[in-house]
């Protein structure tokens, strides 16, 4: 970022700040649910390591990784304003939950359940968010921002004009936060199922392949090659799927508007 790009940061609007807060709260909530689900399932399968370490909780401060949950999202948010033409991929993670598979009552079953618990929790959270969005849109008659020229434009109008009722203002703000939660959790759930270490999908894959195949995969995707695969294969695939998924959700929810 150069000196002449600082004015872009100073030009952040109130709606931009609200959008950033929505995103960060949704991110921390989603990551906390994801990690707590791993800990809860591990405890159910016989390994209470995470529970005894206080990781079976939705408290985001317990799961925060200084780099993955603070620095990386902050860099992405700042760069989106300092470099409007550059769209950096969202890279973030929480502190991994400690799991000891040896303590599982059934190691194979435990590996699958604990690994899938994280993405499954994101899909469940996304389903709940979708249901809430549908109720808000159909009952309050709020303006779906994506039908009016892009996400966040309706919030901008609400803040600058007095043409909206208090009910509509509250409904709109709640809708945009819940919609952020919906999209984010769908992306997180799908991304974590990709079979590249250290994502959950890699642990699930190891259960279904032979030991020789698992060792071959480990050799092929050993650090730093797994990180390169995440950056240049996994993230582009998720980004490619993001737009059609996003607007498909918008179309479905928009159809519920009264």
């Amino acid at each position: 970022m150069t000196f002449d790009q600082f004015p872009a940061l100073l030009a952040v609007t109130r709606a931009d700040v609200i959008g950033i807060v929505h995103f960060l709260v949704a991110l921390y909530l989603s990551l906390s649910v994801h990690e707590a689900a791993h800990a809860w399932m591990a405890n159910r399968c016989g390994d209470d390591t995470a529970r005894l370490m206080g990781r079976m909780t939705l408290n985001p401060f317990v799961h925060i990784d200084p780099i993955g949950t603070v620095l990386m999202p902050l860099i992405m948010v700042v760069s989106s304003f300092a470099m409007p033409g550059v769209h950096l991929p969202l890279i973030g993670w929480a502190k991994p939950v400690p799991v000891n598979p040896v303590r599982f009552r059934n190691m194979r079953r435990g590996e699958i359940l604990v690994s899938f618990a994280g993405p499954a929790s994101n899909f469940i959270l996304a389903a709940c968010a979708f249901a809430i969005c549908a109720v808000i849109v159909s009952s309050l008659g709020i303006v779906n921002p994506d039908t009016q020229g892009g996400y966040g434009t309706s919030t901008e109008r609400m803040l600058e004009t007095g043409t909206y009722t208090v009910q509509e203002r509250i409904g709109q703000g709640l809708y945009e936060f819940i919609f952020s939660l919906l999209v984010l959790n769908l992306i997180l759930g799908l991304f974590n199922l990709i079979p590249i270490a250290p994502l959950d999908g890699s642990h699930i894959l190891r259960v279904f392949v032979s030991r020789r195949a698992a060792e071959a995969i480990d050799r092929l995707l050993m650090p730093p090659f797994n990180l390169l695969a995440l950056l240049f294969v996994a993230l582009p695939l998720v980004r490619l799927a993001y737009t059609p998924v996003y607007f498909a959700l918008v179309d479905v929810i928009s159809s519920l508007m009264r």
Side-chain angles (χ1 to χ4, degrees):
M1 182 174 64
T2 59
F3 180 78
D4 59 356
Q5 290 171 320
F6 274 101
L9 295 177
L10 300 178
V12 176
T13 66
R14 185 177 172 185
D16 292 329
V17 173
I18 292 175
I20 292 171
V21 172
H22 283 173
F23 167 74
L24 292 178
V25 172
L27 177 65
Y28 294 149
L29 174 60
S30 304
L31 292 177
S32 298
V33 169
H34 183 101
E35 297 302 329
H38 282 310
W40 178 82
M41 185 58 71
N43 187 63
R44 295 276 296 178
C45 292
D47 176 25
D48 60 356
T49 304
R51 179 179 66 82
L52 295 176
M53 295 181 65
R55 298 297 304 279
M56 201 169 73
T57 176
L58 295 179
N59 180 2
F61 295 102
V62 174
H63 304 292
I64 283 179
D65 179 274
I67 296 178
T69 20
V70 178
L71 183 60
M72 298 306 295
L74 184 61
I75 290 175
M76 193 206 71
V77 169
V78 171
S79 65
S80 67
F81 293 105
M83 299 176 288
V86 178
H87 302 286
L88 297 179
L90 170 60
I91 303 175
W93 58 89
K95 188 164 56 176
V97 164
V99 175
N100 185 1
V102 175
R103 303 188 64 184
F104 292 154
R105 286 185 288 271
N106 183 316
M107 187 176 295
R108 179 183 175 87
R109 180 173 177 270
E111 282 271 21
I112 296 174
L113 291 177
V114 173
S115 298
F116 188 66
S121 70
N122 292 127
F123 292 137
I124 292 172
L125 198 54
C128 293
F130 179 85
I132 295 173
C133 281
V135 171
I136 293 173
V137 171
S138 61
S139 62
L140 297 182
I142 57 116
V143 178
N144 186 328
D146 295 284
T147 64
Q148 302 295 328
Y151 185 77
T153 55
S154 57
T155 299
E156 196 75 55
R157 288 196 301 275
M158 282 191 170
L159 295 172
E160 294 178 353
T161 68
T163 58
Y164 292 86
T165 66
V166 174
Q167 183 187 44
E168 288 173 331
R169 287 173 181 263
I170 294 174
Q172 189 68 45
L174 181 60
Y175 168 84
E176 294 192 10
F177 168 69
I178 299 297
F179 190 80
S180 297
L181 194 66
L182 165 59
V183 176
L184 182 59
N185 275 276
L186 273 181
I187 297 301
L188 281 175
L190 292 172
F191 180 70
N192 275 282
L193 287 177
I194 296 175
I196 299 175
L199 300 179
D200 298 320
S202 66
H203 300 288
I204 297 173
L205 177 65
R206 290 178 64 90
V207 177
F208 294 100
V209 299
S210 65
R211 177 177 297 182
R212 180 176 295 181
E215 292 174 351
I217 294 173
D218 288 341
R219 286 194 299 270
L220 180 64
L221 294 176
M222 63 186 300
F225 298 109
N226 61 328
L227 298 180
L228 293 175
L230 286 173
L231 285 173
F232 297 106
V233 178
L235 285 176
L237 285 176
V238 171
R239 189 169 181 177
L240 186 66
Y242 176 85
T243 299
V245 169
Y246 184 93
F247 285 105
L249 290 171
V250 169
D251 290 340
V252 173
I253 294 176
S254 299
S255 67
L256 302 174
M257 295 177 66
R258 67 186 187 188

